[in-house]
Amino acid sequence: MTNRVCFVFACLTLAVVAGFAQTQTQDPAPDVAGAWTGVWSSYNPAQGGSTPKDLCKNLSAKVEQKDSVWLATFEGDCGRPYKYSIKMEGRQVGKVVLFKGTTDLGKQDGGVYDWIGRANDKEFVGFFTSAFYTGTFNLARAKKEPAQ
């Protein structure tokens, strides 16, 4: 009899859990694709109290989603124009997308970088590191140009 009671209790518990899972709704995916603009900065983490140094503040990005991979194209001018296209792995967690990636920007631009980021509908922020640099970037939605 005890085994039968345990079995019934287990079945009821599973039914309740399954019903609860069905009533929860997943947050809608944030709209990360599109144009972004902002700044990036670099700092030395070994100097704990140092303030990040803004480097070539102008940074723009265009993000596109292709299946479960995002492609971000970053552009700016830092003594010379630059443009990098980076594939980003991303996953939705709540109302944000968490990104990570590794890319080689070439010897002239610091070599291999690892970075992580978080984006929602309004903000795209991240942290990067390489053998030579550590820093952050902060982007917001680009303002739309008025129609002419």
Side-chain angles (χ1 to χ4, degrees):
M1 182 81 170
T2 305
N3 287 341
R4 191 174 285 175
V5 170
C6 288
F7 177 75
V8 170
F9 180 77
C11 289
L12 288 173
T13 302
L14 287 174
V16 168
V17 169
F20 178 75
Q22 289 177 350
T23 59
Q24 285 186 332
T25 58
Q26 183 178 2
D27 291 318
D31 183 16
V32 174
W36 298 86
T37 186
V39 297
W40 61 277
S41 59
S42 181
Y43 67 96
N44 183 346
Q47 299 171 348
S50 68
T51 325
K53 176 179 145 187
D54 288 339
L55 298 175
C56 309
K57 292 184 180 186
N58 297 327
L59 173 64
S60 64
K62 181 181 177 191
V63 178
E64 301 174 70
Q65 183 179 3
K66 302 210 179 196
D67 298 321
S68 62
V69 175
W70 283 263
L71 178 64
T73 303
F74 294 96
E75 288 187 74
D77 192 322
C78 191
R80 64 179 171 73
Y82 64 86
K83 183 175 184 177
Y84 307 115
S85 292
I86 299 171
K87 286 183 183 177
M88 305 183 298
E89 294 177 46
R91 65 184 169 97
Q92 183 180 347
V93 178
K95 295 181 180 183
V96 301
V97 175
L98 300 178
F99 291 106
K100 68 178 181 176
T102 297
T103 191
D104 189 344
L105 299 182
K107 186 176 180 180
Q108 182 179 5
D109 293 325
V112 176
Y113 284 80
D114 288 322
W115 62 279
I116 57 173
R118 177 185 63 84
N120 60 27
D121 294 332
K122 298 176 185 170
E123 179 182 57
F124 184 10
V125 296
F127 171 83
F128 62 86
T129 188
S130 74
F132 306 101
Y133 301 103
T134 301
T136 61
F137 62 88
N138 192 332
L139 303 168
R141 285 291 180 186
K143 294 186 173 143
K144 294 182 181 182
E145 298 291 325
Q148 295 184 11

